[in-house]
Amino acid sequence: ATLAGLAQPLGADRLEMMVSTGGGLKTGGQMHFQAEGVKLNHPGKPLDLAARIFRCLEDGSDYESSLSLTFDNGGRGGLTSPLSEMSEKASEGIKVRAVFEKREGDQ
């Protein structure tokens, strides 16, 4: 399952992606690419670009992507079960991690 496909059922108000890859090229030299805070539908297709670069890199090179979900209006409750399901459906190599912030006025 893709990052976006896993995150879709959570109903976030905003999604932002980070993707980076880099290392030694199979033909010599170095190449690095990083995009941060971009929307999933960015016309530059940063995920595709990073994947294309990664395929040109030596074995063991780095590749990382993450998706940040933002929930407006005080956030959302009741996401424990959907997050657990998301983690179970994730492909090998995909880790689900949630960071919760306290709402204003919470103790």
Side-chain angles (χ1 to χ4, degrees), residues 27-66:
T27 57
Q30 297 276 319
M31 187 175 286
H32 302 273
F33 172 77
Q34 183 167 338
E36 292 184 44
V38 296
K39 294 184 179 182
L40 290 172
N41 61 352
H42 188 279
K45 300 186 181 210
L47 279 175
D48 293 344
L49 181 56
R52 194 170 41 198
I53 291 170
F54 185 70
R55 286 190 296 272
C56 297
L57 300 175
E58 296 173 342
D59 289 345
S61 293
D62 296 325
Y63 181 96
E64 179 181 355
S65 62
S66 64

Side-chain angles (χ1 to χ4, degrees), residues 6 25 38-39 41 49 51 65 78 80 86 94 96 98-99 104-105:
L6 289 170
L25 292 164
V38 296
K39 294 184 179 182
N41 61 352
L49 181 56
S65 62
T80 303
M86 182 183 190
I94 293 180
V96 176
V99 177
E104 287 185 31

